[in-house]
Amino acid sequence: MAELPCDADGRCMVCKVLPEDSQVILCNSCSSPWHMSCLRPPMNEVPAGDWSCPDCEPSVSVSAVPLAEETDNVLSRIRAIRADPSLSEKEKARKCQDLMSRTGGEQINGTQEKKSNKMLDIFDENLNCIFCMQLADRPVTTPCGHNFCLKCFQRWIAQGKKQCGKCRTPIPPKMASQPRINSALVVAIRMAKASSTTISSGPAKPYVYIQNQDRPDECFTTERAQRPGKANAASGKIFVTVPPDHFGPITSENDPIRGQGVLVGETWEDRMECRQWGAHLPHVAGIAGQSGHGAQSVALSGGYEDDEDHGEWFLYTGSGGRDLSGNKRTNDKQSFDQKFDKSNLALKVSCKRGYPVRVVRSHKEKRSSYAPETGVRYDGIYRIEKCWRKPGIQGYKVCRYLFIRCDNEPAPWTSDQVGDRPRPLPKIPELKYASDLTERKGQPAWDWKDEEGVWGWVTSPPSSRKIEENGTGRRSGTRKSLTIGQRLLKEFGCGLCKKVLKLPLSTSCGHNFCKVCLEAEFSGLNEIRERVSLGGRSLRAQRVVKRCPTCQGDISELMHNPQVNRQMEDVIQSLKQNAKDDSDEESDYSDVTEMLDSSECVVEKEEVTNGQGHAETCNVPSKLSQKSSCAENSSNLNVTLKMHTLKEEEFLKLCARYPDFSEDLLRSMLSDQAGDLDELEGMLRVLQKEEKKRRTKASKDAKESDERYGSIPEADEQNGDGARKKRRHND
C-alpha cells in the first residue's frame, strides 16, 4: 500500500481515521502531517532531530536520487532559509528555487544583473513543478490538471507512486507508463523565455513574398497542358515595383525597366501580361482589393449582363451570387443574392473614402462600345461615387457601383488633348428601386486640385501593407508584430473551437480543450451501452469509448470526472489582463482582440459535480468586454450569459426543440456565436445529425457483433426445436 499523508481535515488517507495529535508527525521539509502508525515501518514515537517524509526523502534504490550527503546539505540549507526571519515569503521561495536549481543562493543577495521578465514571472507563479519548484521542463499535465517536469514525474512513478503528487488523485496506468508532453505549454514557455532576450520595440523584420528572379520574362504554358491557352500558365515577372495594395496610377518612378510607368491606352495580349505591369493583378477575378483596406483595380470583361458602360462613367456589378462548387471557375446563372462582403466590401470602402481605382477593359466585353478589339487595355483612374443593391436581370439582388472617370490623361476613345474635369453625376433611374444605398459624405482622398488644375491626392494616400525595395527585382513587407503576451495567448487555443481556452481540460495524451467544447463533443453518449440480442436476451454491457478529438486516444476516465486545469486557467487570465494593458493600439491586433472578445463570457459561479455525486462550487473570475456590460448576480450558481438582441422566449423555445442539450451548454454555445440564434440553431442541427449517424452506426456494429459471436435468432431457435422433436420421433 502506498504511503499517504493526512488530508486537509486531518484524516489519514490510508486508514481513513482521524488520529490524535500525539500520533501525527510533521515533515520538517514540506510541513505535511503523517499518521505514524501508517508509515512503513510504523513509528511508535517521534524520532529525535529532524524528520523528512517519504515524499521528501525517496527510496535510495532509485538511481536519480542524489547522494545522502548532498541531500542532507541541501535540506539543511533549505531549513536555514525558511528559518531566517528577515526574509519575506517571496524571497524565501526564490532562494529555495535557486538552491534547487543549483545556481546558488548567493546570486540573489546582490543586485540582479538581468531585468525581471514579466511574462516569465506569470508562468513562474502558476506552472512551477511541485517537486523541483522550477518552471516545468518538458511539462507533463495529469488529468487532474497539475503540471510536472517530465523527469520529476518519471522519478515519482519510479518510486512506485500511483497518485498525483499534489492532490493524490490516481494517475491513469497508461499515462504512468508512457507520459505525454503537453506541447502547448512547451511552446508557450519557450516563447516566454525567449522574450527576455528579444527586443520587442525594434522595427519589424522585412520578409520577401515575391521571388521575381525565379520567374520567366513571359508567362507560358507547359507542354503537359491538356488544353491550349494560358488558363494554367506560369506567371511571368512583375516588372513594376509597386506593392499589390498600391492605390492610384503607376508612375515612372515605379517602372525601372522603361522609366515611363503604365500609360493610359496601353494594351496587353491578355490578363496574364496585364498582371506583369501591375495594372490589375488577378488574372481571373474582376476585383482586386481587400475588404478592410479598399479596392485598387477592377476589370470589365463582360462577366455580368447587368453592367452598363458609358465610357467616362459606368455601372459595375459586384462579384458573387453564383454557384462555383466543384471545379467551376465561372457560372452564367445566378443562384443567390450578392452581399457587401469580401471584394464587394472592398469596393464599398473605396467608395466611402474616395480612393482612386484603376480600370482595365477586356475585348470579352462584347456589349460595350468602349472595349478594345483585342487584348486588355488600361483606361485610367476612376472613382466610385455611389454603391447600392437592386434586383438584377436574373431576379436576384446584385451590388451596383457608379464609377466616374477622374484621370489627368485623356481617355483612349477621345481626341481630347487634356484629361477629365469635374463633372456632375449622371441620373441613374434604377436608384428608385435601390436598397442599402451608400454615398460618400466627406472629402474624397483623390480629388480635383483647383490651384494646380490636376487630379491628385488631397489627403495622404493609404499606407501600403507591403514595403517596396526598388531595384532589387523583389518586394518585401512588414508583418505587424504582436506583443509577447498576445503571442503567448494565441498558443493556448482549444483543439475544437480554435479559440482561447475557457475552463481548460488537459487530457492524458497532452492536448487541451475547452470544457464546454469537449462536453458538447460527447453529449448524448452514455458511459455504458446496453446490448440485447435479436432473440431478446440481454448481452454483456460494453463501455463506451470516448476518444480524443485530436489523437483518438481514450479519454473516457477524464470525461467521467473532468477536472479543470486551474494552473493553466490562471496563466490565461493573467495573459489576458497583460495583453489588454500592453496593447495601446487595439486596431493593430484585431485578430487577437477578436479571439479575446469571443472567448470572454460572463461566468459568475459554476457548480461542478463529480462522479460520486459530490458538488464542488468553484469561483471563476469574470471578464467584461468593452463593448458590453453585465449585471452581477451572486445568487446564481449556473453559467450566466448576457444576451443582447435575442429574446429570452426565443432561446427557451430553442431549448425545448433540442432537449438533448442542457440550457447551460446552449448558453455557452450561444456566446461563442456572438448571440446569433440562427448560427446556434444551424450548429445544433449539424450536431443532431452527426449524433444520429453515430447512433445508427453503433447500432449496426452491435447487430453485426451479435450475429458474429453467437446470438441465436428466434427463427433459428424454432428450427432447432423442430429438428430435435423430429429426431426424438424417429428414435
Side-chain angles (χ1 to χ4, degrees):
M1 182 180 295
E3 295 178 285
L4 299 176
C6 300
D7 57 14
D9 298 330
R11 191 178 301 275
C12 179
M13 299 178 66
V14 177
C15 62
K16 308 299 182 182
V17 300
L18 187 63
E20 299 179 357
D21 294 341
S22 60
Q23 295 295 322
V24 176
I25 184 173
L26 297 180
C27 174
N28 197 52
S29 299
C30 63
S31 301
S32 59
W34 293 76
H35 190 194
M36 298 169 57
S37 302
C38 294
L39 292 173
R40 290 186 301 176
M43 299 176 60
N44 297 324
E45 58 183 9
V46 178
D50 297 332
W51 177 83
S52 298
C53 66
D55 290 347
C56 297
E57 281 192 354
S59 175
V60 294
S61 61
V62 182
S63 60
V65 178
L67 297 176
E69 298 179 358
E70 184 180 356
T71 304
D72 293 340
N73 187 23
V74 172
L75 289 176
S76 61
R77 296 178 66 180
I78 290 178
R79 293 164 189 157
I81 292 174
R82 293 191 174 181
D84 190 354
S86 62
L87 297 177
S88 63
E89 293 296 330
K90 187 174 182 180
E91 291 174 347
K92 292 180 182 179
R94 178 66 65 181
K95 281 181 174 289
C96 292
Q97 179 179 347
D98 290 342
L99 180 62
M100 295 300 296
S101 61
R102 303 188 184 280
T103 58
E106 294 79 13
Q107 295 181 356
I108 325 172
N109 296 331
T111 58
Q112 296 182 353
E113 298 180 358
K114 295 184 180 180
K115 188 177 180 181
S116 177
N117 187 353
K118 187 176 181 180
M119 291 301 162
L120 199 57
D121 290 342
I122 295 177
F123 283 78
D124 204 16
E125 294 173 358
N126 299 282
L127 296 181
N128 282 348
C129 175
I130 66 168
F131 297 123
C132 64
M133 299 302 294
Q134 288 239 1
L135 192 60
D137 179 37
R138 297 183 179 93
V140 175
T141 304
T142 57
C144 54
H146 299 120
N147 305 286
F148 308 92
C149 299
L150 177 62
K151 291 184 178 180
C152 296
F153 182 81
Q154 291 175 339
R155 189 180 299 120
W156 174 261
I157 296 298
Q159 299 172 17
K161 307 298 177 63
K162 301 295 180 65
Q163 297 86 13
C164 172
K166 189 169 186 178
C167 65
R168 306 298 176 178
T169 302
I171 299 174
K174 186 176 181 181
M175 182 180 183
S177 60
Q178 190 178 2
R180 301 293 297 272
I181 297 176
N182 195 328
S183 57
L185 288 180
V186 171
V187 176
I189 293 174
R190 185 189 301 122
M191 291 174 60
K193 289 182 177 179
S195 65
S196 60
T197 57
T198 303
I199 303 176
S200 59
S201 59
K205 296 182 179 180
Y207 68 97
V208 178
Y209 62 91
I210 289 184
Q211 297 287 345
N212 258 336
Q213 63 272 17
D214 298 332
R215 296 179 181 272
D217 293 336
E218 296 181 1
C219 55
F220 66 94
T221 305
T222 61
E223 297 179 355
R224 297 175 58 186
Q226 298 181 1
R227 294 184 180 182
K230 294 183 179 179
N232 56 351
S235 177
K237 288 184 178 180
I238 306 296
F239 297 120
V240 294
T241 59
V242 294
D245 55 354
H246 170 73
F247 289 89
I250 301 175
T251 60
S252 59
E253 299 175 355
N254 304 115
D255 186 2
I257 297 178
R258 303 180 305 182
Q260 65 179 16
V262 179
L263 304 178
V264 174
E266 190 169 349
T267 306
W268 303 280
E269 181 182 356
D270 48 34
R271 293 270 293 270
M272 296 292 290
E273 188 177 354
C274 174
R275 166 186 167 82
Q276 291 184 265
W277 292 98
H280 184 69
L281 291 178
H283 61 280
V284 176
I287 304 173
Q290 303 80 35
S291 59
H293 196 48
Q296 293 83 33
S297 60
V298 297
L300 278 74
S301 57
Y304 290 86
E305 54 186 342
D306 298 273
D307 291 346
E308 297 182 17
D309 192 359
H310 299 274
E312 281 74 15
W313 67 273
F314 61 88
L315 296 178
Y316 189 76
T317 306
S319 63
R322 295 176 175 179
D323 183 16
L324 299 180
S325 59
N327 197 25
K328 292 180 287 188
R329 298 178 65 184
T330 184
N331 190 355
D332 295 336
K333 302 298 181 182
Q334 191 172 353
S335 55
F336 54 92
D337 295 339
Q338 292 183 359
K339 298 180 180 180
F340 284 114
D341 58 358
K342 300 179 180 178
S343 56
N344 293 340
L345 182 58
L347 289 175
K348 187 175 182 179
V349 171
S350 294
C351 173
K352 290 181 177 180
R353 301 176 183 177
Y355 290 161
V357 181
R358 297 185 299 273
V359 174
V360 297
R361 284 181 171 87
S362 173
H363 70 283
K364 295 181 180 180
E365 179 58 274
K366 303 299 182 182
R367 297 183 298 269
S368 174
S369 303
Y370 301 92
E373 296 181 1
T374 58
V376 180
R377 185 186 65 208
Y378 173 61
D379 288 343
I381 297 297
Y382 284 70
R383 196 175 64 191
I384 307 174
E385 301 296 334
K386 297 180 182 180
C387 61
W388 63 92
R389 290 205 310 162
K390 67 112 182 177
I393 296 177
Q394 298 186 13
Y396 296 93
K397 286 188 176 182
V398 294
C399 298
R400 302 279 279 173
Y401 305 88
L402 173 61
F403 280 76
I404 302 294
R405 194 174 191 275
C406 48
D407 199 293
N408 293 317
E409 299 295 328
W413 53 83
T414 65
S415 57
D416 297 338
Q417 299 296 321
V418 294
D420 298 298
R421 295 293 184 269
R423 59 171 61 91
L425 299 181
K427 295 182 179 180
I428 311 298
E430 68 181 50
L431 287 177
K432 299 178 182 179
Y433 314 101
S435 60
D436 302 331
L437 178 63
T438 300
E439 298 185 56
R440 184 175 54 256
K441 297 181 180 179
Q443 184 181 17
W446 180 270
D447 203 359
W448 176 258
K449 299 180 179 180
D450 293 328
E451 298 179 356
E452 303 176 12
V454 295
W455 296 90
W457 290 101
V458 177
T459 61
S460 300
S463 58
S464 174
R465 298 179 180 178
K466 314 293 179 182
I467 295 180
E468 306 174 27
E469 287 186 3
N470 298 330
T472 60
R474 61 171 130 182
R475 298 170 295 178
S476 63
T478 56
R479 287 193 177 101
K480 295 176 180 177
S481 59
L482 304 176
T483 63
I484 185 63
Q486 293 164 338
R487 291 170 57 196
L488 286 171
L489 194 58
K490 293 182 68 174
E491 294 298 330
F492 291 101
C494 174
L496 291 172
C497 66
K498 309 302 180 184
K499 298 177 181 178
V500 178
L501 289 165
K502 296 181 298 183
L503 301 178
L505 296 179
S506 298
T507 63
S508 58
C509 50
H511 301 111
N512 306 296
F513 305 93
C514 300
K515 182 180 180 182
V516 175
C517 297
L518 202 58
E519 289 179 345
E521 183 74 10
F522 301 106
S523 62
L525 290 180
N526 298 323
E527 298 292 335
I528 298 177
R529 181 169 65 91
E530 302 290 342
R531 297 189 303 157
V532 180
S533 66
L534 297 177
R537 294 186 303 140
S538 60
L539 302 177
R540 181 182 298 175
Q542 287 184 344
R543 182 175 66 91
V544 178
V545 178
K546 299 178 181 180
R547 301 193 178 276
C548 173
T550 302
C551 67
Q552 300 302 312
D554 188 5
I555 57 173
S556 302
E557 295 183 6
L558 173 67
M559 298 308 300
H560 178 67
N561 184 20
Q563 298 291 331
V564 177
N565 192 336
R566 297 299 177 187
Q567 295 178 337
M568 186 180 295
E569 186 181 22
D570 293 340
V571 172
I572 293 174
Q573 296 295 338
S574 301
L575 290 175
K576 283 183 180 181
Q577 184 63 36
N578 187 75
K580 287 189 175 182
D581 295 341
D582 292 345
S583 59
D584 297 331
E585 299 179 0
E586 296 182 358
S587 59
D588 292 343
Y589 311 106
S590 58
D591 53 346
V592 177
T593 305
E594 182 180 354
M595 289 181 64
L596 289 176
D597 293 339
S598 61
S599 65
E600 289 176 357
C601 63
V602 182
V603 181
E604 299 297 338
K605 290 184 179 179
E606 182 188 5
E607 185 175 352
V608 183
T609 306
N610 56 23
Q612 288 76 18
H614 300 288
E616 176 188 0
T617 304
C618 55
N619 295 329
V620 182
S622 62
K623 289 273 186 175
L624 295 182
S625 178
Q626 296 178 358
K627 299 181 181 179
S628 61
S629 59
C630 297
E632 296 184 356
N633 185 7
S634 59
S635 62
N636 187 8
L637 297 180
N638 296 325
V639 180
T640 307
L641 301 175
K642 181 176 180 180
M643 292 182 284
H644 300 282
T645 57
L646 179 64
K647 295 181 179 179
E648 185 69 20
E649 293 79 5
E650 297 177 359
F651 177 76
L652 294 178
K653 291 180 181 178
L654 182 65
C655 295
R657 287 198 297 269
Y658 297 94
D660 294 338
F661 301 93
S662 64
E663 182 177 347
D664 294 341
L665 177 61
L666 292 181
R667 290 184 183 275
S668 301
M669 295 172 67
L670 184 62
S671 68
D672 295 338
Q673 302 300 325
D676 193 340
L677 187 60
D678 295 334
E679 292 289 339
L680 176 61
E681 189 169 6
M683 181 184 297
L684 292 176
R685 272 198 225 98
V686 174
L687 291 175
Q688 199 175 46
K689 189 179 296 183
E690 293 295 330
E691 178 65 21
K692 186 177 180 181
K693 290 181 181 178
R694 188 185 297 110
R695 291 180 179 178
T696 303
K697 184 179 179 182
S699 177
K700 184 178 179 181
D701 295 342
K703 183 177 179 181
E704 292 178 355
S705 177
D706 295 341
E707 293 176 354
R708 183 180 303 174
Y709 296 108
S711 63
I712 304 176
E714 293 181 357
D716 294 344
E717 292 180 356
Q718 294 176 1
N719 293 337
D721 294 341
R724 284 192 292 270
K725 290 179 181 180
K726 186 175 181 180
R727 285 196 300 269
R728 192 181 300 112
H729 178 71
N730 293 335
D731 294 341

